[in-house]
């Protein structure tokens, strides 16, 4: 063996010994080095230029939104249904600042419904004013903004407490009333000022008409009325027989009108409830009265509980019914409440009974004829009258002719349910043809005049040579 070969072997063994010694004293390899070759030289012997380049994953350069979309695309391509937790994480939360959304406004207003958390307040600082500015009730007399997170405690004396102390000390009573009014003014300003500087609810709140009931579309309004009536008719035995209504409310007339409307549309309209389709002529007047004023059955395990979806007032119907006696020959026990008032049981600001809440304080446009402001149940009554006359074939509904509510003659005409009307279909068709003939003649006259004016205009145009003016 030559000297050169033996020298090369010694160098090779030295390198192997150094590799084994360095591997025993070094830290354990990382995950991305597990697949590295066992014959790789240690980093101590490598030059900086020959060090292994660490390749970063592509996800490090991609935004989280694109990662989510790409992962969703991979899941959809693989055909695997994503889990509910995955979908909840990827779904966007509903925006907090939506002053135009009536549904979210009602959700905020609904948080004030519990009497153990929120007592009635003066109109300037009631729950409607707080809900219009993005506040929700989170505790006893405590409101919070979901946008900026600020919380406010609203503490006022009840009107009953102030009235109960009257007569004892006149000077002290006046001072309490004055202090209460100052607190109301302070809280009224805090509805806006207590938001953070950058909170959007501080700059703008809901419109004055956000609380208005959508009753302008007749089909939708009547369908919702039918659904409320359907829910109440299912518990007709729980509804008390004695109901207090406004003097201008005639349930017999409205029952005839609705019977005529439902009977004429039950065969073609699938949205009419089944209970009404079966017997449109036999409507329960007590259930219809409650439904007409916005009441419906609360969907819970308690039987005989009605609610209003506008002011979220809940009403226990059992309080107004007499309890049956257990022993024979003994009269039934009297009800806890003598009479059910369908108007007074609503909250004061409910648009079903409050004209200002329904109108929103809007003024008629310039040049428009001012109309009388009506509450929600009055507008619904007018919708029923117009719909009945349209189905019956009347050209001009009575509500558009401005018939007074107390006119007995007009009410009897409305209650006829289409039995008498001035013109039949043939007469209307003949008048329509006559109007169309007149319109065609009038259009032809204007067309002849326009053609003559166009010809005269062409004759008066001076003819000029090309390249000259005038």
């Amino acid at each position: 063996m030559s000297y050169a070969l033996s020298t090369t072997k010694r160098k090779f063994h030295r390198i192997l010994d150094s590799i084994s010694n360095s591997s025993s004293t070094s830290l354990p390899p990382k995950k991305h080095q597990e697949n590295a070759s066992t014959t790789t030289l240690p980093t101590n012997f490598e030059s900086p230029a020959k060090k292994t380049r660490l390749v970063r994953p592509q996800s490090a350069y991609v935004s989280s939104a694109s990662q989510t979309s790409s992962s969703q695309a991979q899941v959809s391509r693989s055909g695997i249904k994503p889990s509910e937790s995955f979908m909840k994480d990827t779904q966007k939360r509903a925006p907090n600042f939506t002053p135009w959304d009536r549904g979210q406004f009602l959700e905020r207003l609904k948080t004030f419904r519990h009497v153990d958390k929120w007592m009635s307040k003066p109109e300037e600082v009631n729950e409607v004013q707080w809900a219009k500015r993005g506040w929700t009730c989170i505790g006893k007399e405590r409101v919070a903004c979901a946008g900026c997170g600020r919380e406010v405690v609203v503490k006022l004396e009840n009107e009953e407490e102030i009235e109960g102390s009257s007569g004892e000390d006149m000077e002290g009573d006046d001072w309490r009333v004055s202090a209460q009014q100052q607190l109301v003014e302070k809280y009224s300003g805090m509805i806006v000022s207590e938001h953070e500087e950058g909170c959007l609810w501080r700059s703008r709140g809901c419109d004055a008409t956000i609380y208005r009931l959508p009753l302008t579309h007749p089909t939708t309004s009547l369908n919702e009325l039918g659904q409320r009536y359907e829910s109440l008719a299912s518990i007709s035995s729980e509804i008390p027989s004695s109901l207090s209504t406004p003097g201008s409310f005639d349930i017999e007339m409205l029952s005839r009108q609705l019977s005529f409307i439902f009977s004429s549309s039950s065969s073609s309209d699938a949205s009419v409830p089944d209970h009404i389709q079966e017997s449109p002529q036999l409507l329960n007047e007590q259930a219809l009265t409650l439904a007409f004023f916005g009441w419906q059955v609360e969907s819970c395990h308690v039987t005989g509980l009605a609610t209003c979806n506008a002011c979220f007032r809940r009403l226990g119907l059992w309080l107004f019914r007499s309890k049956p006696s257990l022993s024979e020959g003994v009269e039934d026990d009297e009800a806890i409440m003598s009479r059910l008032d369908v108007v007074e049981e609503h909250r004061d600001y409910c648009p079903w009974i409050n004209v200002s809440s329904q109108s929103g304080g809007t003024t008629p446009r310039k040049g428009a004829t001012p109309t009388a402001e009506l509450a929600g149940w009055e507008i619904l009554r007018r919708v029923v009258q117009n719909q009945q006359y349209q189905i019956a074939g009347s050209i001009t509904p009575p509500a558009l002719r401005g018939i007074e509510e107390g006119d007995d003659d007009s009410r009897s005409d409305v209650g006829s349910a289409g039995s008498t009307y001035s013109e039949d279909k043939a007469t209307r068709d003949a008048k329509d043809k006559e109007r169309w003939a007149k319109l065609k003649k009038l259009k032809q006259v204007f067309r002849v005049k326009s053609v003559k004016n166009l010809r005269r205009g062409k004759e008066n145009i001076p003819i000029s040579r090309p390249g000259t003016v005038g």
Side-chain angles (χ1 to χ4, degrees), residues 143-367:
V143 296
C145 174
C148 60
R150 293 293 296 271
E151 297 183 5
V152 180
V153 177
V154 186
K155 183 61 178 175
L156 290 172
E157 287 186 298
N158 295 334
E159 295 182 358
E160 296 179 357
E161 296 178 359
I162 298 177
E163 293 177 357
S165 62
S166 61
E168 299 176 359
D169 187 2
M170 298 299 295
E171 295 181 359
D173 190 26
D174 295 340
W175 179 85
R176 293 180 68 179
V177 173
S178 177
Q180 180 85 343
Q181 185 61 32
Q182 291 180 6
L183 282 175
V184 169
E185 294 176 359
K186 181 180 179 180
Y187 282 125
S188 179
M190 291 172 66
I191 295 176
V192 179
S193 62
E194 280 303 306
H195 286 284
E196 293 285 354
E197 292 292 339
C199 185
L200 296 176
W201 286 110
R202 186 186 180 98
S203 59
R204 181 191 172 187
C206 294
D207 190 72
T209 60
I210 192 70
Y211 204 14
R212 178 183 296 172
L213 294 170
L215 299 173
T216 55
H217 195 271
T219 304
T220 305
S221 301
L222 293 176
N223 289 341
E224 292 178 353
L225 173 62
Q227 293 173 4
R228 292 195 301 270
Y229 170 79
E230 178 77 6
S231 65
L232 290 165
S234 62
I235 59 167
S236 58
S237 59
E238 301 291 333
I239 301 176
S241 57
S242 57
L243 300 177
S244 296
T245 58
S248 59
F249 182 78
D250 191 348
I251 184 58
E252 295 181 359
M253 179 190 67
L254 290 171
S255 180
R256 290 195 299 268
Q257 290 178 332
L258 289 170
S259 298
F260 174 74
I261 293 172
F262 290 142
S263 61
S264 60
S265 59
S266 60
S267 58
S268 59
D269 192 357
S271 60
V272 178
D274 297 336
H275 183 78
I276 299 177
Q277 287 184 358
E278 294 175 359
S279 57
Q281 303 295 336
L282 302 175
L283 297 179
N284 188 309
E285 293 186 354
Q286 282 75 22
L288 182 61
T289 301
L290 288 173
F292 210 89
F293 284 86
W295 297 100
Q296 64 183 30
V297 173
E298 173 83 3
S299 57
C300 63
H301 62 280
V302 180
T303 305
L305 187 63
T307 185
C308 172
N309 284 341
C311 64
F312 303 104
R313 178 70 180 270
R314 289 189 290 184
L315 183 63
L317 299 177
W318 60 85
L319 298 174
F320 304 91
R321 297 184 69 252
S322 58
K323 298 180 181 180
S325 179
L326 300 177
S327 58
E328 298 181 357
V330 181
E331 296 182 357
D332 296 342
D333 297 336
E334 295 183 357
I336 300 175
M337 306 292 290
S338 59
R339 199 171 184 85
L340 172 56
D341 195 323
V342 296
V343 174
E344 293 296 330
E345 292 299 330
H346 282 280
R347 301 189 191 274
D348 296 337
Y349 53 78
C350 183
W352 281 109
I353 62 169
N354 192 295
V355 176
S356 300
S357 298
Q358 179 61 24
S359 63
T362 57
T363 56
R365 293 176 296 177
K366 187 177 181 180

Side-chain angles (χ1 to χ4, degrees), residues 423-431:
E423 297 175 347
D424 56 1
K425 187 176 179 181
T427 307
R428 293 199 309 270
D429 293 342
K431 286 193 173 184

Side-chain angles (χ1 to χ4, degrees), residues 6-7 10 16 21 29 46 53 74 85 91 123 131 140 148 197 214 228 242 252 301 329-330 339 341 348 387 418:
S6 61
T7 304
R10 285 195 300 271
L16 290 177
N21 294 332
E46 288 182 353
R53 180 178 297 176
Q74 293 176 3
S85 59
Q91 284 178 353
E123 183 179 358
K140 187 173 179 60
C148 60
E197 292 292 339
R228 292 195 301 270
S242 57
E252 295 181 359
H301 62 280
V330 181
R339 199 171 184 85
D341 195 323
D348 296 337
Q387 189 72 8

